[in-house]
Amino acid sequence: MPTRLLQAVANLDAWFETMRQPGGYGGPVAHWWRDQFVYTGPGLDWRYEGILMGYSDLWDKTGDPIWLERVNRAAKDLSDGQLPDGSYRMSRFEQNPGTLGTPHEAAASLGLLVSLQRTGDFTLLPTAQGNLDNIIRRLWDPVTRGFTDRPGVPGRVPNKLATLSQALCALAQITHDDQYLVYAKAAIDDVVRFRVTRGHFQGAIHQYSADNMRGDNRLFPYYNARCVDPLLTAAEVFGEETYAASAHEILEFLTRTMTEDGSWPQIVYTSGSRVDYPRWIAGVADILYAFHRMNNPLPGPAWDRLVDSQLPSGAFPTAIGFQRKTYSKAPLDPPDYRDLTPVAGWNDKVLRLLAAVLPAPASVLPAPSVHSYSRPARIASEEAVFTETAMALQYGNHCDIEKSSAWSKGEFVWG
Amino acid sequence: MQVDVVRIPSSLPSMAAGPFEESWNRVADILFADAAQSGLEALTVFIPMTWSDSDWLTLRSAYLPDTHSGLSGAVWISNDSITDLTGFSRIYWVHQEIPRGENINLGSRVESYAVWTRSSRWWGAGVRLADLMHATALRDRCMSRSQAQFVRQGDLLSQFHLDIYDGQEVPHAHSLAAGSR
């Protein structure tokens, strides 16, 4: 495995290099909530969590200065893209262009803080601190003593609060300023507050609470997985076993909901019904990362499915079955254009996972072995050909996305 | 690309929240992408006086290519007919009603987009109904359908329209654009 793993990392890094633009890592976004195939410029969002943590891990394990350069460049992207109020430019991922993206700004700052700890260079601490201070200023509700999802609305999104809590714990640890722990604890307590308390799905976390009182009965395996690492951090920082127990229950939920082929449904409702598609591919790395952080063996079928999916470009595709998000009986073959599209903000999760499971010390990575490719695809209800080169993503006759350009060209495609 | 703003009276509603915000984001993305594709050197955006927030404009202006093409574009955000946009090589008209029988002398229309289409709104009604019934799974289904049909090319019934025109080429007639800077 190590040889294959090293080659996979080298190829993924080569792909990330093709996604560089002035200002950061760009490219289109395919997501459950919305797609963005028109603005394809840099996004200072959660992609920086995995990029910074992944490259920091590689620097730790190999000592190869190339990874330190990658870390420093990504950290500078965030610093250069910080706006006067502390927020990051283009921080809303699928909703870009926009700012104050949740959990995106906290995730990016978490990546930055982890990289500062790993490299020992705290020059850009004010960037992360200014960003998190702004989130506290804009989203903290002193009445309910918690973080809202948008200024002026009471709703809570537990998985986003988990990321924010972990970022605040890291900030408190570096600055020795315990005021951040008060906010971190409030955020993680809201995660636990919205867990399913009984029945088959006990321990799983609701996706949303509009009224800050009841969960919405939607359980996303992916977003549940993103709560695990922050809960483990909280257990360590606050010395409370409740958080570790909650992480353990989430892992049980993930184990129960995994399908035979090593994928997960998009949504499981507390009623028992499901939305099966799209099933993440690259994003599954965050689910596997949860198993890794819990010191559990990675589920074999899920690991195999992920590593076997790597594209000739070095990237990992987004999903299977995007068309079924809208039409439940839509064919899976050929894949929807969103399935095939590699997205920086999903591939960062793979980078973080691969770097984390790489045994230390690791040798210098092999030279990348990547090339262009074409695949049959379904684009706007027509069958066409999707092509990726080092320079572009091409969607038949519909649209071209030049990787160096912040805006796509041609006929825009819509889900 | 140089982006300038001119405030105009306009009856277009505020686009600050919900589907209005999503509509405006989609419109702004399409027109900025087209402006970048068209190699415009300058873009003048005529914004309703009542719109206080212009972050959408600032953000989208951040990563536009620099060119010296001499081509300029205008974005007219109003239901009212356009007064004088002579000299702009690309004109973007954002409006609500589809004008019928009106002689709009803007050049040749090259593209039109329907945003927040009627079919999307019907599925949106399904979302609200499902909310009332606390039927979360049904809500997600309706939301997916509503999103999938939110934007379409062509003159479909919709809440907003974006029409893109190749303006009449009038050399050295950039007075309106120049005056706004």
Side-chain angles (χ1 to χ4, degrees):
Chain A
M1 182 181 95
T3 308
R4 186 179 180 192
L5 186 57
L6 289 168
Q7 190 66 59
V9 175
N11 292 355
L12 179 56
D13 170 63
W15 177 79
F16 266 116
E17 286 302 291
T18 71
M19 303 307 287
R20 288 291 307 175
Q21 294 187 13
Y25 294 88
V29 177
H31 200 354
W32 164 259
W33 310 109
R34 184 188 197 265
D35 308 311
Q36 178 52 286
F37 279 74
V38 181
Y39 171 76
T40 56
L44 302 183
D45 48 40
W46 71 358
R47 73 193 69 180
Y48 280 82
E49 178 187 58
I51 287 170
L52 282 161
M53 291 171 76
Y55 282 135
S56 296
D57 230 350
L58 290 175
W59 161 242
D60 253 4
K61 290 177 175 175
T62 68
D64 186 339
I66 186 78
W67 309 126
L68 183 59
E69 285 174 30
R70 299 273 197 270
V71 170
N72 290 338
R73 186 180 59 183
K76 189 171 182 300
D77 289 343
L78 292 179
S79 174
D80 290 351
Q82 188 162 39
L83 299 172
D85 68 355
S87 62
Y88 297 132
R89 179 186 287 147
M90 313 302 197
S91 66
R92 297 185 73 182
F93 193 44
E94 82 280 6
Q95 292 186 322
N96 271 334
T99 61
L100 201 65
T102 54
H104 299 291
E105 294 203 359
S109 286
L110 172 62
L112 181 54
L113 291 166
V114 169
S115 73
L116 301 181
Q117 288 171 313
R118 295 286 184 85
T119 61
D121 177 357
F122 291 91
T123 313
L124 294 184
L125 175 60
T127 300
Q129 189 166 11
N131 175 258
L132 293 171
D133 283 344
N134 185 56
I135 291 174
I136 293 170
R137 204 161 42 239
R138 300 282 304 277
L139 299 180
W140 175 256
D141 177 6
V143 177
T144 56
R145 298 198 60 74
F147 288 96
T148 61
D149 193 42
R150 294 179 73 162
V153 287
R156 300 286 200 272
V157 184
N159 82 83
K160 297 179 178 181
L161 296 175
T163 303
L164 176 58
S165 173
Q166 192 173 17
L168 291 168
C169 285
L171 183 60
Q173 191 178 16
I174 294 171
T175 60
H176 306 291
D177 186 343
D178 286 352
Q179 67 158 334
Y180 292 117
L181 292 181
V182 176
Y183 295 114
K185 190 162 191 323
I188 204 71
D189 282 344
D190 269 353
V191 176
V192 178
R193 187 158 63 91
F194 290 111
R195 57 189 276 284
V196 177
T197 53
R198 73 186 97 166
H200 186 61
F201 302 117
Q202 182 176 328
I205 309 290
H206 290 275
Q207 175 61 19
Y208 182 55
S209 171
D211 57 5
N212 189 27
M213 293 170 70
R214 289 162 302 176
D216 66 352
N217 298 311
R218 292 190 298 176
L219 313 172
F220 286 69
Y222 172 76
Y223 287 116
N224 267 264
R226 280 190 60 85
C227 297
V228 169
D229 195 22
L231 282 164
L232 294 177
T233 299
E236 196 179 313
V237 169
F238 300 111
E240 290 186 23
E241 267 306 301
T242 320
Y243 301 129
S246 187
H248 183 74
E249 283 186 336
I250 290 174
L251 216 67
E252 286 181 351
F253 167 68
L254 294 173
T255 303
R256 277 202 304 274
T257 51
M258 190 180 83
T259 63
E260 278 184 11
D261 70 350
S263 65
W264 277 266
Q266 183 65 224
I267 309 175
V268 178
Y269 298 95
T270 52
S271 63
S273 63
R274 295 174 172 217
V275 172
D276 275 314
Y277 293 95
R279 294 186 180 181
W280 300 128
I281 295 180
V284 158
D286 266 354
I287 301 180
L288 295 176
Y289 188 73
F291 281 85
H292 173 74
R293 287 288 288 119
M294 291 286 289
N295 291 319
N296 276 33
L298 305 190
W303 171 259
D304 292 344
R305 176 176 173 269
L306 176 65
V307 294
D308 290 347
S309 72
Q310 190 165 22
L311 296 163
S313 64
F316 291 78
T318 295
I320 288 175
F322 245 102
Q323 188 82 4
R324 289 196 178 177
K325 178 187 165 198
T326 311
Y327 306 104
S328 59
K329 296 194 189 315
L332 295 175
D333 192 32
D336 186 88
Y337 68 98
R338 292 163 293 184
D339 295 335
L340 288 170
T341 298
V343 173
W346 293 120
N347 275 269
D348 75 292
K349 283 109 184 86
V350 188
L351 180 68
R352 177 169 79 159
L353 174 71
L354 297 185
V357 300
L358 195 67
S363 54
V364 172
L365 264 56
S369 171
V370 293
H371 56 84
S372 306
Y373 63 95
S374 293
R375 296 276 165 89
R378 186 174 298 277
I379 301 171
S381 77
E382 292 171 20
E383 292 195 12
V385 174
F386 167 75
T387 299
E388 182 181 13
T389 68
M391 310 293 288
L393 302 162
Q394 296 164 336
Y395 298 83
N397 295 323
H398 290 268
C399 137
D400 278 1
I401 294 175
E402 288 178 13
K403 292 182 176 179
S404 59
S405 172
W407 299 95
S408 63
K409 288 185 174 177
E411 178 192 325
F412 307 118
V413 286
W414 315 101
Chain B
M1 189 187 303
Q2 167 84 27
V3 179
D4 301 293
V5 172
V6 176
R7 298 282 176 179
I8 56 168
S10 170
S11 57
L12 229 67
S14 164
M15 307 286 246
F20 286 96
E21 183 184 20
E22 176 68 1
S23 298
W24 183 245
N25 284 334
R26 292 298 193 191
V27 166
D29 287 345
I30 295 167
L31 69 88
F32 269 83
D34 186 88
Q37 279 179 37
S38 304
L40 301 185
E41 185 176 338
L43 185 68
T44 303
V45 187
F46 295 86
I47 299 182
M49 282 175 179
T50 50
W51 290 18
S52 54
D53 179 21
S54 59
D55 283 354
W56 59 272
L57 188 64
T58 310
L59 284 168
R60 285 175 179 80
S61 303
Y63 297 114
L64 292 170
D66 274 332
T67 65
H68 301 284
S69 63
L71 301 173
S72 61
V75 182
W76 185 259
I77 307 167
S78 176
N79 289 330
D80 306 321
S81 53
I82 299 170
T83 50
D84 178 15
L85 294 180
T86 309
F88 289 102
S89 52
R90 201 81 167 167
I91 296 169
Y92 306 91
W93 186 17
V94 185
H95 58 97
Q96 288 181 292
E97 296 85 12
I98 300 176
R100 299 199 185 281
E102 191 176 344
N103 182 19
I104 303 165
N105 188 20
L106 295 172
S108 59
R109 192 173 74 163
V110 292
E111 205 68 79
S112 65
Y113 292 88
V115 179
W116 195 6
T117 63
R118 176 170 283 192
S119 53
S120 177
R121 297 186 78 187
W122 276 114
W123 285 108
V127 171
R128 288 191 294 279
L129 187 62
D131 271 342
L132 290 173
M133 297 160 59
H134 302 290
T136 317
L138 178 63
R139 182 192 196 282
D140 285 336
R141 286 278 175 218
C142 291
M143 182 61 89
S144 293
R145 291 290 184 107
S146 179
Q147 284 176 334
Q149 298 178 43
F150 199 80
V151 182
R152 283 285 178 267
Q153 281 180 273
D155 283 330
L156 300 177
L157 287 170
S158 62
Q159 188 72 10
F160 298 99
H161 301 271
L162 168 62
D163 295 327
I164 304 176
Y165 295 86
D166 248 343
Q168 297 157 329
E169 293 293 343
V170 182
H172 312 299
H174 295 259
S175 57
L176 189 51
S180 67
R181 285 174 198 152

